[in-house]
Amino acid sequence: MGTPWRGSWRGWLAVLALWAVAAIASAQPLALPSVALGAAQQAQRDPYDPTGFHAPSLSLSRLVQGDPVPARVLSGEFDNRFEAVSGQQVWAPKGGPAWWRVVVNEDVDAAVAPQLTIDRPSRREIELWRPGDELPLRRAIYGPDIDLNHSTRMIVFPLPKGLHKGDTLYLRMLAADLMQSRVEIEPLAMVQREDMMHVGLRSVVLTAMGVVAVLAFGFWIGLRERGYAYLGLTLILQILTLTSDGGEMRVVPWLNEIAPDARTNIVLNTAAVLASIRFLIFFLGLRATQPRISRLLDWCSYSLGGLILVTLFRTWKYSALFGNLNLLVVVALILYATVVAVWRRQREAYFLLLAWLPLMALLVVLVGANHQWWPEFSWLEYTFPVGLAFGGLGLLLGLTSKLQQLRRDRDTANRLATYDSLTGAMTRAAISQSLRSAVESAHRSHRPLSVVFFDIDHFKRINDEHGHRVGDETLRIVALRTRNRLRAYDLFGRYGGDEVLVVLADTYLRDAVRVAEHLRDSVSGSPLSIDGRLLPVSLSLGVAELLPNETPEQLLERADAALYASKSAGRDRVTAHGAETAPEVVS
């Protein structure tokens, strides 16, 4: 098959470089660096310039049990039941509320327009009581409490009066998962800048995935290759999953109603995995190359399909765990199948290994973090979507490369079926089909058509006296000499053994006879040089012109009869078979 990287390694280096740059850039914190300013600079600084802002330290504590009436919490009745936690992370048990107390350990100037921010807002509903508030501020990225003044990167609460050291904020959180969210106080300008960075990166990633998906569906429509449809469907479902989790679906009213439902996330994620399985089975050709792995992936598909059906009716307590365990099994099976395919030097396996190996690693890390099997990593928020986009692009390139190889193999097979490997002439099947098409065209257009049928005189004697290798070389040289005397659009085919058929379109009988004379002279005019010996060779030729309503078979019978007449008349001559019943020797 050759080196699998041939013709594509430069493109792959570019894709990998872009993937690495985007992943590294997305993993960097969006917050601006803190710069120490002197007193004079502090006095002159624009109050909305976030440069040099020092985030105040916060002390967090969590109400261990219960969901008391807010007025009782605000009155301090439950202060002794709050337990301090380290760090600035908040969370809530699935399906139940959690109360948090946030104490500010430093003054926060109102001039910087401070904002309380809580990241990872997906499927969270948060209420905030600021000092002096009787009613809470409610925020969520879906539902009636959405705040369209900010991106979906964080839930943002304004603190217009600033804060004094020792002030207390109370949070009440409802969450659909156990993921932790970081609480910080930032100036409005910094929040807006982070919003712009977030929206820009998400737009680039989602647009890239959308473009690749559109290209995949376009190739599927144009080429009718179902692999493109699988890839396009996988990317579309991944886009829907990302926009559901990330909150972009809130701009569409009816999606804003269903996106917060935990079942939406489960159905979309599971459907995306199902589409990925079908694509990867097709992409690696597992049905034929690794049937056992293919069957195991089918069983995973049935299991995930059952999860979707159950989720459509009710939320199962262990839906997320069941789906993620299936996903990890799928990742392991695909990784194994890819390694085996690479070992067998399947070209497409190299694309899959490079495009999805980093993505599968990120996926495993993300699943483990969701179930708190290991710590969370903030860089996953952007690195995983970037990995999806570049993984989709890499697989599109890989699928295109695979189809190009399949087409090259098909073209090679067609050529082997169409052309004789020894002489370069068309095979009997190919020349017969071409003759049939030429006859039909000649009848429709009422244009002339003639054929020349010839063979090598005493060819059996050449084989018997000099051996089959010399006989083969004789055939090759005769084919080369005669083909060089024909027009580019004339058809030339080996009909069987040493018999050759030439189809001359737009040619009357008299002109075809002249062509046949040139063919005879090209061979008999000078002996063939084979292995240092000069071998005299001659041709016997029969010519016939197509008659009205004549079939290809009848035309060939008359040309064959003319060839037989040439042999009977002493060989090394041309015989024409016109409308008359008997062939006429013309040379």
Side-chain angles (χ1 to χ4, degrees):
M1 182 180 294
T3 304
W5 307 99
R6 185 173 298 168
S8 62
W9 66 270
R10 293 184 181 87
W12 259 113
L13 285 179
V15 171
L16 289 176
L18 289 173
W19 199 104
V21 169
I24 293 171
S26 66
Q28 303 305 311
L30 296 178
L32 299 175
S34 177
V35 180
L37 299 176
Q41 292 173 310
Q42 288 279 4
Q44 298 175 2
R45 182 171 61 87
D46 183 349
Y48 289 96
D49 181 5
T51 304
F53 176 79
H54 171 69
S57 66
L58 307 173
S59 297
L60 273 63
S61 54
R62 176 173 176 265
L63 186 61
V64 178
Q65 293 179 346
D67 181 25
V69 176
R72 298 176 65 186
V73 176
L74 298 177
S75 68
E77 179 180 343
F78 291 88
D79 281 358
N80 58 348
R81 297 188 185 181
F82 279 88
E83 291 186 357
V85 298
S86 60
Q88 294 183 206
Q89 306 291 333
V90 296
W91 65 90
K94 278 189 178 181
W99 279 88
W100 289 84
R101 184 176 62 192
V102 181
V103 178
V104 183
N105 299 324
E106 304 173 42
D107 289 340
V108 180
D109 190 356
V112 299
Q115 313 287 312
L116 181 76
T117 62
I118 302 173
D119 66 3
R120 297 183 181 174
S122 179
R123 287 183 298 282
R124 280 161 172 70
E125 298 176 10
I126 301 176
E127 297 174 305
L128 171 69
W129 283 266
R130 299 168 297 190
D133 283 350
E134 294 183 0
L135 297 175
L137 287 176
R138 295 183 175 87
R139 291 287 187 270
I141 60 171
Y142 288 112
D145 300 320
I146 60 175
D147 179 11
L148 296 178
N149 293 316
H150 296 283
S151 73
T152 59
R153 180 175 183 266
M154 300 177 292
I155 289 178
V156 180
F157 293 96
L159 304 170
K161 299 179 181 179
L163 294 169
H164 298 288
K165 181 178 179 180
D167 280 349
T168 300
L169 306 169
Y170 287 97
L171 292 172
R172 183 176 181 271
M173 174 188 288
L174 279 170
D177 56 46
L178 299 175
M179 296 288 287
Q180 297 183 356
S181 298
R182 182 175 178 81
V183 178
E184 287 188 298
I185 294 178
E186 303 175 271
L188 179 61
M190 184 179 291
V191 172
Q192 290 173 338
R193 190 168 299 187
E194 290 173 350
D195 282 345
M196 292 175 63
M197 293 283 287
H198 173 79
V199 170
L201 184 57
R202 293 280 292 189
S203 298
V204 169
V205 170
L206 294 174
T207 300
M209 293 178 67
V211 168
V212 176
V214 170
L215 288 174
F217 281 120
F219 288 149
W220 170 57
I221 294 172
L223 301 177
R224 294 298 179 186
E225 293 287 353
R226 67 179 184 276
Y228 286 113
Y230 290 147
L231 178 59
L233 180 61
T234 298
L235 291 172
I236 290 296
L237 289 170
Q238 292 288 3
I239 290 172
L240 292 176
T241 300
L242 288 175
T243 54
S244 173
D245 289 342
E248 287 85 1
M249 278 190 180
R250 66 183 184 174
V251 299
V252 181
W254 65 273
L255 290 177
N256 188 35
E257 298 294 327
I258 64 173
D261 194 325
R263 292 180 298 177
T264 302
N265 176 265
I266 295 172
V267 169
L268 288 176
N269 273 292
T270 307
V273 175
L274 277 174
S276 301
I277 292 173
R278 308 329 297 171
F279 168 74
L280 293 172
I281 290 176
F282 171 85
F283 186 71
L284 289 177
L286 297 182
R287 299 280 186 218
T289 60
Q290 301 182 55
R292 182 175 301 177
I293 297 298
S294 176
R295 287 194 294 270
L296 290 174
L297 288 172
D298 284 337
W299 281 108
C300 289
S301 299
Y302 301 147
S303 177
L304 292 171
L307 177 61
I308 291 178
L309 291 177
V310 171
T311 305
L312 290 176
F313 296 99
R314 62 186 298 271
T315 302
W316 180 33
K317 180 180 179 181
Y318 299 104
S319 291
L321 178 61
F322 181 80
N324 285 328
L325 288 177
N326 270 272
L327 174 59
L328 294 178
V329 172
V330 169
V331 168
L333 291 173
I334 292 298
L335 183 59
Y336 173 82
T338 304
V339 171
V340 171
V342 168
W343 180 262
R344 295 175 178 174
R345 300 185 65 81
Q346 283 184 238
R347 181 185 179 91
E348 58 272 14
Y350 291 87
F351 284 92
L352 182 60
L353 193 65
L354 288 177
W356 267 24
L357 183 60
L359 183 60
M360 287 189 287
L362 292 173
L363 194 58
V364 172
V365 174
L366 185 61
V367 169
N370 285 338
H371 292 283
Q372 298 183 320
W373 296 339
W374 43 71
E376 303 169 38
F377 302 98
S378 58
W379 44 264
L380 280 172
E381 179 181 2
Y382 295 108
T383 310
F384 182 66
V386 168
L388 280 174
F390 280 93
L393 177 60
L395 289 180
L396 182 65
L397 294 175
L399 186 58
T400 302
S401 175
K402 175 182 179 179
L403 293 179
Q404 287 176 342
Q405 183 62 43
L406 290 175
R407 290 180 184 276
R408 284 194 293 268
D409 293 343
R410 185 191 64 188
D411 292 342
T412 300
N414 287 340
R415 180 172 180 81
L416 291 175
T418 303
Y419 294 96
D420 177 61
S421 59
L422 175 63
T423 62
M426 298 174 71
T427 62
R428 176 168 181 163
I431 191 67
S432 297
Q433 180 60 43
S434 297
L435 173 62
R436 184 170 299 279
S437 299
V439 167
E440 292 175 356
S441 176
H443 283 319
R444 284 195 305 270
S445 59
H446 303 288
R447 300 186 66 83
L449 173 74
S450 296
V451 296
V452 178
F453 208 12
F454 70 84
D455 66 9
I456 301 173
D457 293 333
H458 304 296
F459 182 68
K460 185 177 184 302
R461 183 187 304 170
I462 295 175
N463 276 327
D464 293 341
E465 294 180 359
H466 303 283
H468 287 285
R469 193 186 65 78
V470 173
D472 288 346
E473 187 66 12
T474 300
L475 277 172
R476 189 187 66 79
I477 296 175
V478 168
L480 179 63
R481 288 186 179 184
T482 53
R483 186 171 60 244
N484 287 339
R485 292 296 184 98
L486 298 174
R487 298 168 295 185
Y489 55 86
D490 291 333
L491 301 176
F492 179 86
R494 184 180 178 186
Y495 202 72
D498 62 323
E499 294 180 330
V500 175
L501 174 64
V502 179
V503 180
L504 305 172
D506 294 328
T507 305
Y508 290 101
L509 181 64
R510 61 181 181 275
D511 296 321
V513 168
R514 282 196 291 270
V515 170
E517 278 292 341
H518 290 312
L519 297 180
R520 186 186 67 82
D521 184 65
S522 69
V523 175
S524 61
S526 60
L528 278 58
S529 177
I530 302 175
D531 292 342
R533 293 175 294 181
L534 295 178
L535 185 68
V537 175
S538 62
L539 302 180
S540 294
L541 305 94
V543 184
E545 181 183 353
L546 181 67
L547 301 178
N549 301 319
E550 189 174 32
T551 66
E553 291 78 12
Q554 292 170 335
L555 176 61
L556 279 180
E557 285 179 3
R558 292 195 298 114
D560 188 48
L563 171 60
Y564 182 77
S566 292
K567 289 182 174 294
S568 300
R571 294 184 170 83
D572 191 19
R573 65 195 64 237
V574 176
T575 300
H577 196 306
E580 299 85 2
T581 56
E584 178 184 355
V585 177
V586 295
S587 66

